């Protein structure tokens, strides 16, 4: 039974403090191969911090973070990052590079040959429904939705084992947002990759997630699928959070 | 034991070969055409004397460089002592009052002995006494009934304009004021040539002057009698390095002809030809040599075009070398400063302090600092200290803008580069520096423009460039000469600015310029 656990991420009693205030407070979290895990919770509860710990941008004050059974360390963090695709909250595209240059920056740094790069870009553009003609635009010449697709392509360029997305749809208007939600779900299912996605929108979480992880003040309050959160909430906070997020009618419908 | 002997033999051989290789070249060349570097101060009489010396030395077969118009006695004295120049015209009074101030030097023999301790020799006096004098408008002097310095005691309202040298030196204003118990309080320091103009315009009433100044007659001035015999004698002499007698005996012999050959009337006359009749110094000097010694020398009077070309080359040399050095040092310093906050504050602090040192002080400071490097061929006057000063001055805008450019990159972008798994070097080269480039280039542009302007001061220490015609123009009250330096300098600054803007357009990513537009 212990042998069967092929976790991509394994966080054990991880804590991170800022100025005496715990941003992450004793978190245990295991993320299995091929799972889509959505981190959710109110603003400031530590979602981004948790993601940054996983990608090694910050190191925990205590506890340990294992990525594919290995702790993140100074020596191997760079090669580990090549197996993760991380997209920060607002995309983080480099404004001085075109979409194509952004996507291929790392591959070129790793001296991939041109035909391989070209092939990969075509695959990714097809996957994310990004128009080839727009590849030579600079970030400031693209729409918000296009920028998110480019960020996603950049994260996927090296075909990583896991995607880490911090509120990828946060800044988009509702129409584009719902379009992208559909596309993301499609992409996740086609790739079959492990995904850790941050959102503060419960409907989006329910739509995309295999497992929802609800955070509050740096701790994991409950994890599971939406029905289990609704039917057997771990505490009052869970109910309150769901209440606030969903229309009252839906909640009543679910409860009856 | 054998090995040690062998090694010793071998090294002796190497040394012998080295000496054998260099010695013939140096001595042969020096014997036929000894190189002689002549210096002169930045006033007309000194430049004329420097020209006479240079022409005579050349006539005797010397290969001569004349470092004209160097700024100040100390600059020349130091250059002579450390061998940057071989000889220059000086005044005995200046030696006593400025170089050996505080050491009561007795008669001429005592002065010679003291000079010898510095490896310096003195020629016979040339024959004129260019002492300090106080002068004023002839009309005004007559109206107020002033003929001697003692008369000034009754006119406390009169305003003095002095050269800053006169304000400070031992026999200058402080002791003059004490000796004559002068009551005047309105005293200011300014450039000698500006004093004349201020006097003519009524901005001041009295000024210090030299007894052989050409302007005395031009501005119709009265020289006040030194009735208490306050001013020491300022006999014109030549100072030269000890070694010159061995190294360039024929040249020295020729140059020393000048001893006892110029009286005050002659000198004032030559000064007036140059200052008032616009005869080039070299021409006036050559005319004197022909009349006095029947020596014919060629003078090459530079055409305006040739001078423009030469000063442009000199100026560009100063600017390009110093600016490139600041770019190569400044950008890495800025990068280091942005990576290590503590060290960064220190670096920014130090280059900031350098910027606050007044330009002239920095030049003189560097001349002193570079003196020990003369053994490796670094000169303590001329282009070397000027380039060092320009390098330091250009550093601040480059370091600071590199630093602010890098620090201004939003954290999410830096983290994205890290999270991608780029190496530190690749992050810097492919992300951070390109993002900081507009700010960085603005810093280099500022440095270039500052540098071009500041390089005009290099002329004060013999580095040439556009500052040279400006200096000469101020000295000769010649606007056209001033413009021949000032206009190209301004033009070069504008050109540099334009070129940087063009360069910016080609190297800064269009993606960044989009942001700048909205
Ligand atoms: N670099 C930092 N310095 C100080 N405080 C931080 C830092 N990063 C995060 N925090 C704090 O940690 C807590 C969690 O932040 P974050 O993980 O960004 O929350 P969110 O769930 O909104 O993504 C917040 O209180 C935030 O102020
Ligand atoms: Mg966040």
């Amino acid at each position: 039974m212990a042998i069967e656990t092929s976790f991509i991420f394994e966080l054990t009693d991880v804590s991170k403090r800022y100025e005496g205030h715990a941003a992450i407070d004793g978190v245990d979290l295991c993320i299995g191969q091929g799972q889509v895990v959505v981190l959710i919770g109110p603003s400031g509860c530590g979602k981004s911090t948790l993601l940054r710990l996983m990608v090694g941008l910050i190191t925990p004050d205590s506890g340990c973070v294992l990525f594919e059974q290995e702790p993140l360390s100074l020596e191997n963090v760079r090669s580990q990052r090549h197996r993760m695709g991380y997209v920060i909250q607002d995309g983080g595209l480099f404004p001085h590079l075109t979409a194509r240059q952004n996507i291929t920056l790392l591959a070129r740094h790793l001296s991939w040959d041109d035909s391989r790069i070209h092939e990969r870009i075509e695959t990714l553009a097809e996957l994310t429904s990004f128009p080839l003609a727009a590849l030579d635009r600079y970030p400031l010449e693209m729409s918000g939705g296009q920028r998110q697709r480019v960020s996603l392509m950049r994260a996927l360029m090296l075909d990583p084992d896991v995607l880490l997305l911090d509120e990828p749809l946060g800044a988009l208007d509702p129409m584009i947002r719902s379009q992208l939600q559909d596309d993301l779900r499609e992409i996740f299912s086609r790739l079959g990759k492990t995904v850790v996605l941050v959102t503060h929108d419960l409907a989006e979480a329910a739509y995309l997630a295999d497992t929802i992880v609800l955070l509050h003040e740096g701790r994991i309050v409950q994890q599971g699928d939406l029905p289990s959160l609704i039917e057997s909430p771990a505490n009052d906070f869970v109910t309150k959070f769901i209440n606030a997020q969903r229309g009252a009618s839906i909640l009543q419908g679910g409860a009856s | 034991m054998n090995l040690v002997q062998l090694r010793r033999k071998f090294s002796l051989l190497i040394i012998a070969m080295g000496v054998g290789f260099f010695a013939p070249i140096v001595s042969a060349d020096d014997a036929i055409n000894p190189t002689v570097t002549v210096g002169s101060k930045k006033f007309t009489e000194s430049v004329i004397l420097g020209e006479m010396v240079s022409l005579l030395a050349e006539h005797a077969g010397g290969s001569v460089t004349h470092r004209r118009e160097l700024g100040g006695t100390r600059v020349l004295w130091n250059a002579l002592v450390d061998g940057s120049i071989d000889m220059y015209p000086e005044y005995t009074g200046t030696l006593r009052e400025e170089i050996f101030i505080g050491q009561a030097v007795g008669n001429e023999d005592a002065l010679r002995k003291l000079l010898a301790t510095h490896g310096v020799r003195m020629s016979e006096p040339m024959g004129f006494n260019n002492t300090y004098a106080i002068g004023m408008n002839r009309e005004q002097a007559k109206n107020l009934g002033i003929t001697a310095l003692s008369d000034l005691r009754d006119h406390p309202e009169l305003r003095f304009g002095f050269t800053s040298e006169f304000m400070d030196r031992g026999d200058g204003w402080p002791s003059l004021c004490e000796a004559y118990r002068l009551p005047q309080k309105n005293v200011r320091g300014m450039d000698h040539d500006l004093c004349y103009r201020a006097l003519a315009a009524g901005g001041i009433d009295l000024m210090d002057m030299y007894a052989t100044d050409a302007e005395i007659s031009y501005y119709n001035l009265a020289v006040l009698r030194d009735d208490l015999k306050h001013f020491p004698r300022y006999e014109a002499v030549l100072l030269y390095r000890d070694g010159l007698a061995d190294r360039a005996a024929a040249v020295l012999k020729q140059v020393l002809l000048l001893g006892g050959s110029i009286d005050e009337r002659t000198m004032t006359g030559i000064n007036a030809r140059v200052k008032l009749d616009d005869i080039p110094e070299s021409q006036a000097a050559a005319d004197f040599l022909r009349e006095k010694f029947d020596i014919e020398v060629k003078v090459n009077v530079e055409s305006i075009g040739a001078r423009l070309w030469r000063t442009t080359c000199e100026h560009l040399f100063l600017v390009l070398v110093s600016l490139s050095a600041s770019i190569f040092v400044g950008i890495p310093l800025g990068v280091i400063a942005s990576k290590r906050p503590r060290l960064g504050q220190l670096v920014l602090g130090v280059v900031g302090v350098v910027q606050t040192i007044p330009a002239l002080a920095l030049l003189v400071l560097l001349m002193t600092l570079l003196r020990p490097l003369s053994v490796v061929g670094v000169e303590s006057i001329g282009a070397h200290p000027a380039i060092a000063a320009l390098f330091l001055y250009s550093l601040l805008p480059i370091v600071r803008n590199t630093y602010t450019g890098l620090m201004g990159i939003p954290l999410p972008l830096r983290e994205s580069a890290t999270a991608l798994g780029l190496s530190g070097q690749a992050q810097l080269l492919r992300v951070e520096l390109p993002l900081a480039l507009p700010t960085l280039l603005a810093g280099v542009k500022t440095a270039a423009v500052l540098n071009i302007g500041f390089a005009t001061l290099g002329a004060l220490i013999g580095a040439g460039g556009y500052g040279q015609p400006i200096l000469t123009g101020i000295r000769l009250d010649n606007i056209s000469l001033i413009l021949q330096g000032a206009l190209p300098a301004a033009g070069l600054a504008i050109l540099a600015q334009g070129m940087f803007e063009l360069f910016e357009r080609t190297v800064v990513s269009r993606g960044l310029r989009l942001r700048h537009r909205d």
Side-chain angles (χ1 to χ4, degrees), chain A residues 18-19 21 23 42-50 52 89 167:
Chain A
Y18 285 114
E19 292 136 21
H21 165 84
S43 177
C45 70
K47 305 181 293 290
S48 297
T49 304
L50 196 55
R52 284 149 56 81
Q89 212 147 334
E167 305 206 28

Side-chain angles (χ1 to χ4, degrees), chain B residues 408-426:
Chain B
I409 298 173
L411 183 68
L413 287 186
R414 267 189 273 161
E415 288 201 331
S416 288
T418 310
L420 268 182
L422 290 173
S423 66
Q425 193 194 353

